[in-house]
Amino acid sequence: MKRLKTLGLTTLACAFACALSFGAAPMQAQDPGPLKLDITRGVIEPLPLALPDFIAETPQAAEYAQQISEVIAADLVGTGLFREIPSSAHISQVTNFSAPVSYADWKAINAQGLVTGAVGMDASGNLSVKFRVFDIYAEAPLGSGLQLGGSTTSWRRIAHKVADVVYSRITGEGGYFDSRVVFVSESGPKNDRLKRLGVMDYDGAGLQYLTDDNFIVFAPRFSPTGDRVLYTSYENGTPQIMMLDVGTVTRRRLPVPAEAVTFAPRFSPDGQSIVYSMSTGTNTDLYRMDIATGQNVRLTSTPAIETAPSFSPDGSQIVFESDRSGTQQLYIMPANGGEARRISAGKGRYGTPVWSPRGDLIAFTKQNQGRFHIGVMRTDGSEERLLTASFLDEGPSWAPNGRVIMFTRESQGASGASALYSVDISGRNLKRVPTNAGASDAAWSPLLK
């Protein structure tokens, strides 16, 4: 029996208990079976997946079984990689978690994968959720069965974790559903927007506000462990970098000169330092700060405006935008400063670069011929691909698995509003992220623990 460590979260009361094998053949790391969805070049035809409602093993668990089933289906179908076979087409009815699978019945409705599960509740009111994934044409389980547990308040996280496992076993990639997004929530007219920081599940659920709207805030960024957020605030009259503890919702200003304008902060991969822009007079350069000591090191020294820095996943390099060539372009330099090389080469202006968690791509905003785009390129600037086109698209942020990008889209006109959208790196599955008000400046957290 393999046990999962207890989760200690301030904002979510969730403690996963154990991961149990139910006698299924263990998944081989190098080959999880014939059911394998190749998504490296995008998927045109979603894979048909049967997702019967999870069984309620106790009467008290019935409501949660239904809700968990709905979230799992929404997570998987929402990727654009899967198509749920409607329950009205099911021949087999799953009424017992331990019963053998009637593979012929699922083949008859062209299901390629099947996910079954059951939800129970103990005397203390804690949930237990067990599930299996099956390869219908191989007539075999895809990996071992698993069991997760937690309080009733954590049912959404449990559902997201189940979906992450299903996604990972079929695609071979890590999931991203059990993650959060910090963003700027906006209200009021376009010329007088009120802004405050909010944090929510990746799908818009579980919204919490981290600041009030008394001061303008922008560009929030999660720490590598997801427990802190950097952002820029006008609380002291000029843009200053603040660091907020997500659990306690307490904040502090980082030690930079009070008269300087500081903005565009981002954590290093180890969470021990930050890189940011600082303007003194007419000059804007990049700096790096050790969080523990407050010591600052200047990384660039040019007459240009240099901003929007982002570390490579290994922390050895920084990509940033600069107008040192006369227009906004993208550059890469060593993380401790040094010679920078330009990587953008197309027509137009490039900005807000963000390194993929995988290390292979850089997402960016591009402006060309009156249109804005979200795009990706290799770290040497090759294979540039534009994923979107709009009146104003900007500010990409990567999902933890490097498969999906979230960004801000603003509509045109005096009544135009900002909203969050996401798109697959293949350019498919463009969709709006639900928020209860205008939203911008999204930043994706790592997978939650």
Side-chain angles (χ1 to χ4, degrees):
M1 179 183 296
K2 178 183 178 183
R3 296 193 175 273
L4 297 181
K5 65 181 181 180
T6 299
L7 298 176
L9 297 178
T10 304
T11 57
L12 292 171
C14 178
F16 285 95
C18 56
L20 305 176
S21 172
F22 294 106
M27 180 177 65
Q28 300 298 315
Q30 72 273 16
D31 181 9
L35 179 58
K36 180 74 173 179
L37 186 59
D38 183 1
I39 59 177
T40 57
R41 298 183 181 274
V43 173
I44 303 302
E45 183 62 32
L47 184 145
L49 198 61
L51 298 160
D53 287 345
F54 280 21
I55 301 161
E57 295 188 319
T58 59
Q60 301 87 346
E63 178 183 358
Y64 295 103
Q66 178 68 29
Q67 293 172 329
I68 288 170
S69 299
E70 291 173 353
V71 170
I72 294 168
D75 284 347
L76 296 170
V77 174
T79 65
L81 302 174
F82 303 94
R83 173 176 62 84
E84 182 182 10
I85 297 175
S87 58
S88 59
H90 295 183
I91 298 172
S92 283
Q93 301 301 314
V94 180
T95 58
N96 186 330
F97 181 74
S98 300
V101 172
S102 300
Y103 290 104
D105 289 346
W106 298 108
K107 288 180 184 178
I109 61 172
N110 297 318
Q112 294 186 38
L114 169 68
V115 181
T116 65
V119 182
M121 183 182 293
D122 64 21
S124 300
N126 292 315
L127 296 173
S128 62
V129 180
K130 52 189 176 183
F131 65 99
R132 289 192 180 110
V133 187
F134 295 93
D135 182 337
I136 296 304
Y137 286 91
E139 297 190 1
L142 191 62
S144 300
L146 293 176
Q147 180 168 306
L148 307 175
S151 68
T152 54
T153 57
S154 66
W155 70 266
R156 288 190 64 90
R157 280 205 61 192
I158 296 173
H160 289 320
K161 282 195 170 291
V162 173
D164 276 332
V165 172
V166 176
Y167 178 94
S168 180
R169 289 188 178 180
I170 296 177
T171 67
E173 295 189 345
Y176 61 91
F177 308 120
D178 187 28
S179 61
R180 307 209 81 194
V181 172
V182 64
F183 67 103
V184 176
S185 179
E186 302 184 355
S187 60
K190 192 171 185 177
N191 61 352
D192 189 23
R193 292 267 172 84
L194 298 177
K195 301 187 176 187
R196 55 179 170 170
L197 295 188
V199 63
M200 62 185 181
D201 294 353
Y202 95 100
D203 57 1
L207 172 65
Q208 296 174 295
Y209 291 110
L210 302 176
T211 67
D212 56 32
D213 57 12
N214 292 331
F215 308 100
I216 294 174
V217 293
F218 59 96
R221 301 290 182 258
F222 267 115
S223 67
T225 49
D227 59 340
R228 294 168 294 165
V229 169
L230 290 171
Y231 67 100
T232 303
S233 172
Y234 277 80
E235 184 172 340
N236 297 315
T238 58
Q240 295 284 310
I241 297 172
M242 308 290 286
M243 186 164 65
L244 181 144
D245 183 287
V246 177
T248 62
V249 198
T250 56
R251 66 190 187 278
R252 66 182 177 94
R253 188 178 73 86
L254 293 185
V256 296
E259 69 278 6
V261 173
T262 54
F263 55 100
R266 196 176 291 269
F267 283 98
S268 61
D270 63 7
Q272 302 303 307
S273 63
I274 69 167
V275 63
Y276 65 98
S277 288
M278 182 162 67
S279 294
T280 54
T282 59
N283 197 52
T284 301
D285 278 302
L286 299 181
Y287 290 76
R288 183 168 181 169
M289 176 192 294
D290 182 282
I291 295 175
T293 65
Q295 181 180 358
N296 285 279
V297 176
R298 188 171 183 170
L299 302 181
T300 64
S301 183
T302 75
I305 297 174
E306 301 186 314
T307 186
S310 173
F311 282 95
S312 60
D314 65 3
S316 66
Q317 299 179 89
I318 293 172
V319 62
F320 63 100
E321 69 174 73
S322 172
D323 63 357
R324 60 177 66 183
S325 67
T327 60
Q328 274 180 292
Q329 300 295 332
L330 305 185
Y331 293 81
I332 289 178
M333 69 177 178
N336 292 320
E339 185 177 354
R341 70 180 190 279
R342 177 173 163 176
I343 62 170
S344 55
K347 295 180 180 179
R349 295 187 290 173
Y350 296 77
T352 64
V354 189
W355 219 302
S356 164
R358 300 176 180 178
D360 58 338
L361 295 173
I362 290 171
F364 56 87
T365 301
K366 182 173 183 175
Q367 184 180 7
N368 188 38
Q369 297 182 339
R371 301 282 281 176
F372 280 79
H373 310 267
I374 299 298
V376 294
M377 65 173 66
R378 295 290 179 185
T379 58
D380 61 1
S382 64
E383 299 183 35
E384 177 181 323
R385 302 194 309 273
L386 300 182
L387 309 178
T388 74
S390 176
F391 163 72
L392 180 55
D393 286 351
E394 62 181 353
S397 178
W398 289 96
N401 68 348
R403 164 58 50 179
V404 180
I405 293 172
M406 193 175 293
F407 63 95
T408 303
R409 172 168 286 183
E410 185 166 329
S411 54
Q412 197 168 2
S415 60
S418 295
L420 301 182
Y421 280 75
S422 65
V423 66
D424 189 276
I425 58 171
S426 65
R428 299 181 63 252
N429 202 36
L430 174 69
K431 62 180 182 179
R432 183 168 178 170
V433 179
T435 55
N436 67 346
S440 63
D441 276 346
W444 224 310
S445 80
L447 279 178
L448 301 178
K449 301 295 185 181

